Structures are given as structure tokens and as C-alpha cells.
Amino acid sequence: MSLPDSPGAYDLVVRNARVATAADVFETDIGVRDGRIAALARGLPAGAREIDAAGRWVLPGGVDAHCHLAQKTGDGSVMADDFRSGTRSAACGGTTTVIPFAAQLKGESLAQAVRDYHAVADGQACIDYAFHMIVADATPSVTNEELPALIDQGYTSFKIYMTYDDLKLDDRQILDVLYAARRHGAMTMIHAESSDCIAWLADRMLAEGLDTPPYHALSRPPVAEREATHRAISLAELLDTPILIVHVSGPDAIEQIRWAQTRGLKIYAETCPQYLFLTAADLEGDLLHGARCICSPPPRDEAAQQAVWNGLANGTFQVFSSDHAPFRFDGPGGKKPEGEHTPFNHVPNGIPGLETRLPLLFSEGVLQGRMDINDFVALTSTQPAKLYGLYPRKGTIAIGTDADMVIWDTGITRVIRNGDLHHNVDYTPYEGRTVQAWPAITLSRGQVVYADGVFQGQAGQGRFLRCDRPAPARPRRATRRHAPWLSALSRMDAWTDAGTAGDVGDAA
């Protein structure tokens, strides 16, 4: 705690806050100066502006580390949210930092993809943002030249795919990317589904005329996710390289991740709201009704939902993200490129969720006793910031951090209606669901961007964030003992630990 400063020293004072971080709960006033937290103490002198939290929870702003905004696609689909509408929606749901994807298409330069993404993002975002990269064409020039240079420039995480024809890498290419990540200190995210298993099933279903949305889920069974998850873990173990498995849907993949973690491998995991609040039954309905909930991996069943809740409670998961992938249900570029009879394999994958991510988990996780408030903060803010090189600027409430904070209303009753949300999508898969928590006020670097149901930010207010090399991406200390075959590769340990932030804990 800092001592009170002189009168007028603060641009803003948040009074009577009940603060929770990933580790602590305490009551305090919060003094903000120049967009950063300058003091934590009771009885701070008056600020130029004052907000009375009135004993409500004040939490670090959410870090949504997996969302898609204004992203290039290779199939003619068009994302409904750009950086203006997407970050507006995020702020209204309590998220103050987003990390979307600069996507490389096959045959393109990765560096050019990053430059192109800045062209659509800069000057548009309402809250702060960083970039992951998507590596879809792992040529030698990309892995040996472009990736190292981009990592040095603050793009220290990237995603690779084991499925989708226009994005997937084969195992050797994955090894090349993991090798670059290990040497240069980046975090690799992996979409783990077995492409050949899925294609084999889908082709046979489509040949039988089984082309409606429910068959999307049947064509991507848990075993396809389990096999790819195990293979991704094995490739990471071969190089002693940390990885993060994204959007894990159920017990088959969870068991593989937990198995790897208990062996001491640095395997991290993420899950998303759709795996807690949707099931395969949501893909059913007349014609393309279920297309609203088509995403990959697909939602499973209620037993899988419970397995995901268990994984959140026991530390298997380090991150809870939205995987916001916004395609409109009606209109061009959306979920129905071939009209009402679009086969499931031509429906753009993804569902919206930036604004509803935190209220859903707070309501059904914290308020229903499935997790404590510290775990909520860790999963939605602190650990994503650590895993992607943004901590401690983001992800906590402490002196010197950015003043990204959310004052929460709890014990309320609010029904989720798409008409009340601030994204540019014409539906929400959570329509009609009741929650008991919603942000009252969202602050981005000390500025109110949302209050009492009204968005108060503006485009261009958000800043681009260069990411540090994340400490969780460090290989294990005793690589030569864990993987003696690596001793032949003299350059494997080129990256040092200097200047990295703290790890995410003992879970992995």
C-alpha cells in the first residue's frame, strides 16, 4: 500500500473499492495518475475526478487473449466486427485489452500480414490491443527470418492450425514453428483437431446427404480433438517447447493435457464460454438455425461441460477466452453463403462472445460457487497477460500498472438480449440466458469507457501494445536431461531469460 499523496495529486480516485487480484482481496481507495495506478490506500486525498465503488468488486480489466476482429479469410466470409465495433463490445463487457490475430494466408509474407493488420486496427480501437500472428505458410524464410524479427518487434505469440485446408500445417512444419518459438522466446497456440479424421467423416456424411448443422458436430468427434492434442503435446515435448492448446471442448482433450502437465511438461490450456453454456443440441433446428452455434471444436454435451468446469477448478486451464469469431447470420459474407441450404462444411466457423464472456463466467462461476473471485481474475486477466507478455502492465491492480479496472454490479438479474449488446453481429448464442453480474463501470487507463449501460469511449482511444517475451514460454531448465537428443542442436538455447515477466504458477 502506498501512503496518501498531496491533495490534487490524482486525476481520478476510485473510493471504497473491494479489490480482488489473482492472489488477494482487500478494501482500498485507488489513486490514478497519467493513466496508471499511483496509490492504493484508504483515505486518499481528493482527485480531479471521483468514482464511488460503494463496496462493490473492483477487478482488473479483462484480457481477452483469443478473439478475431477484421481478420482476413480465405473463403469469402467477412467478419462482422472491425476494431471499432469489436473493442466497443469488449469494453461494455468488462474487457480492457484484446489480442486478435494478424493472419497470414498461404503464399503471403507474415510481416506483410502484420503491416496490413495495423492498417485496419490503428486509430480504430476503443481499448488497448496487441496482436497474435497466425502462421499458415511456414516457409524457411518465415520461420528463420520473419518470425525472429517480428518477435523482436513485440509480436511474441502466434497460432498454428492442425485442421482447415487453407491454414493447417503438417507435423514437420509444426516442428519448424516450435523450433523458432523455442529459440526466440515466443508462445505457440495450437488449434488441435485431426484434419484427416474430420475430412474422412465429413466426406462420407455429405455423400449420404447428411449436411445440416448437427452433422458438423458429428464430423468433429472428441477423438479427433484428443488425437491432435496428444500429437501436439508430443511434438512440443520433442523440442521441449511450451505450447498452449486453445478452445478445449471436453474431457478427451483435457485428459491429455492433464497427463502432460503431471509429467512436468509446460503445456497450457484455454477454454471458452461455448464449452460451458452450449451443447451439440444447440446446432439442431430447422434448416440452418443451428449454424449460429457452429464452431470448432463443436460444443459437446452436459458431461463435457462439467469436465470443463472441473478443469477450470483444478488448474488444468490457465486461460478463459471468448474466441469471438463474428459472422452475421443474415446478409452477405455470413453464415449462409449458399442460402438456407448451405451444407455444414461451408458455414463459416465461429460465434460471437466478446461482451458476454465475463458476465457469464462471473455469474455461473463465482456467484454459483464453482470458483473463487481470485481464480476468476487469474483466468480472465492475470494469466492471459502473463502468457502473452503483457504482465504487469495489464492483468492486475497494483501500483504502476495501467489503470484498467471494472466495477461490477452483482446480485442483479439481467437477461442477455442481442439488442442490448454492442457488437455488429445480428445474434448471440446466449439469447435469453439470465445472469446475475454485469459491469457497472469499465475504465481503460483511468478513462471511463462504459458506465451504466452506455458506451462512453471513442475510436482511437486504444493503444497498440508491444508484448514482451513471456516467461511461460521458457523451456524447462534441465532440457538436456529431459530431452538429451536436443544436445546435438547447438542453437536450441539461444534465448536467455533476461527481461521476462513471471510465470503463471505451478499448474503446468
Side-chain angles (χ1 to χ4, degrees):
M1 298 287 183
S2 74
L3 295 175
D5 212 328
S6 58
Y10 305 116
D11 305 320
L12 169 70
V13 174
V14 178
R15 301 276 179 199
N16 305 309
R18 188 184 182 198
V19 171
T21 67
D24 300 302
V25 172
F26 53 93
E27 296 181 357
T28 188
D29 296 341
I30 305 169
V32 176
R33 185 188 303 124
D34 297 328
R36 295 190 174 188
I37 295 174
L40 295 169
R42 297 191 184 193
L44 289 178
R49 295 176 293 129
E50 301 242 343
I51 295 174
D52 186 3
R56 290 174 291 183
W57 285 115
V58 179
L59 309 183
V63 177
D64 196 334
H66 187 164
C67 56
H68 303 269
L69 301 174
Q71 182 179 311
K72 294 185 296 186
T73 65
D75 61 0
S77 58
V78 178
M79 291 196 168
D81 279 319
D82 57 17
F83 272 80
R84 184 181 300 229
S85 64
T87 57
R88 176 185 66 205
S89 182
C92 296
T95 290
T96 54
T97 302
V98 294
I99 316 180
F101 297 86
Q104 177 200 32
L105 300 181
K106 291 190 184 297
E108 291 186 351
S109 157
L110 184 60
Q112 186 61 50
V114 171
R115 290 191 291 269
D116 291 345
Y117 209 43
H118 273 293
V120 299
D122 296 347
Q124 298 300 309
C126 307
I127 56 173
D128 292 351
Y129 60 102
F131 290 171
H132 301 299
M133 299 175 286
I134 289 175
V135 181
D137 199 359
T139 63
S141 63
V142 167
T143 57
N144 297 332
E145 299 170 18
E146 290 192 314
L147 269 180
L150 288 163
I151 292 167
D152 284 342
Q153 295 166 27
Y155 307 92
T156 60
S157 55
F158 36 80
K159 182 179 180 183
I160 57 178
Y161 290 79
M162 301 174 78
T163 188
Y164 303 133
D165 289 343
D166 56 346
L167 293 169
K168 67 181 180 181
L169 304 182
D170 62 32
D171 287 359
R172 183 163 183 146
Q173 292 172 315
I174 291 172
L175 287 170
D176 286 338
V177 173
L178 293 180
Y179 183 43
R182 189 191 194 284
R183 288 195 60 223
H184 300 284
M187 179 63 72
T188 305
M189 311 158 70
I190 299 184
H191 179 140
E193 289 184 288
S194 176
S195 182
D196 287 340
C197 293
I198 292 165
W200 191 92
L201 284 169
D203 286 348
R204 278 150 183 79
M205 289 178 181
L206 292 166
E208 296 291 331
L210 307 175
D211 62 357
T212 56
Y215 294 101
H216 168 80
L218 292 175
S219 72
R220 307 181 91 95
V223 64
E225 186 181 3
R226 184 187 72 200
E227 184 278 328
T229 299
H230 183 86
R231 182 156 41 98
I233 290 168
S234 299
L235 296 174
E237 183 179 14
L238 181 70
L239 293 181
D240 188 26
T241 304
I243 60 170
L244 190 147
I245 307 294
V246 295
H247 46 52
V248 175
S249 73
D252 294 72
I254 290 171
E255 288 169 359
Q256 297 299 309
I257 294 163
R258 194 67 173 170
W259 168 82
Q261 291 170 345
T262 58
R263 297 185 69 212
L265 302 179
K266 297 184 78 170
I267 306 298
Y268 306 103
E270 168 205 271
T271 195
C272 309
Q274 50 266 40
Y275 307 118
L276 296 177
F277 302 105
L278 302 177
T279 69
D282 289 297
L283 275 68
E284 298 175 358
D286 295 335
L287 294 176
L288 275 189
H289 172 84
R292 293 174 173 86
C293 296
I294 282 184
C295 59
S296 298
R300 306 296 184 186
D301 56 20
E302 291 182 358
Q305 289 180 338
Q306 186 57 53
V308 174
W309 280 115
N310 293 344
L312 290 168
N314 67 23
T316 302
F317 293 109
Q318 290 72 47
V319 185
F320 186 78
S321 302
S322 70
D323 193 11
H324 179 79
F327 298 100
R328 294 180 67 84
F329 186 64
D330 290 312
K335 287 279 188 175
K336 298 183 284 186
E338 299 173 21
E340 294 295 332
H341 295 278
T342 299
F344 70 81
N345 62 320
H346 290 174
V347 175
N349 270 242
I351 59 176
L354 262 173
E355 194 166 344
T356 50
R357 172 184 72 121
L358 296 180
L360 284 167
L361 190 65
F362 201 134
S363 182
E364 295 301 318
V366 178
L367 299 183
Q368 295 300 318
R370 292 184 171 105
M371 65 178 60
D372 64 29
I373 192 72
N374 306 107
D375 290 337
F376 174 85
V377 172
L379 286 160
T380 61
S381 185
T382 307
Q383 289 176 172
K386 288 183 175 182
L387 283 159
Y388 299 119
L390 292 174
Y391 185 85
R393 285 178 292 169
K394 306 294 184 182
T396 193
I397 293 176
I399 293 171
T401 66
D402 285 351
D404 294 352
M405 298 175 283
V406 181
I407 301 172
W408 282 86
D409 279 339
T410 58
I412 62 172
T413 298
R414 174 166 175 159
V415 179
I416 296 175
R417 302 291 186 198
N418 193 63
D420 297 329
L421 301 180
H422 296 79
H423 59 199
N424 194 34
V425 190
D426 55 359
Y427 76 97
T428 170
Y430 310 110
E431 184 81 26
R433 181 177 289 272
T434 300
V435 292
Q436 291 79 45
W438 203 271
I441 300 173
T442 302
L443 296 158
S444 173
R445 284 182 280 104
Q447 298 296 314
V448 174
V449 291
Y450 171 81
D452 302 320
V454 179
F455 175 67
Q456 298 185 14
Q458 58 184 352
Q461 187 172 343
R463 296 176 181 171
F464 175 72
L465 304 168
R466 287 172 56 102
C467 296
D468 299 325
R469 287 173 166 83
R474 286 195 303 251
R476 291 175 293 179
R477 298 288 184 178
T479 293
R480 300 271 192 282
R481 174 168 59 83
H482 294 307
W485 52 87
L486 297 181
S487 61
L489 302 177
S490 60
R491 298 192 300 167
M492 288 296 286
D493 294 316
W495 176 43
T496 68
D497 300 339
T500 56
D503 215 327
V504 298
D506 298 327

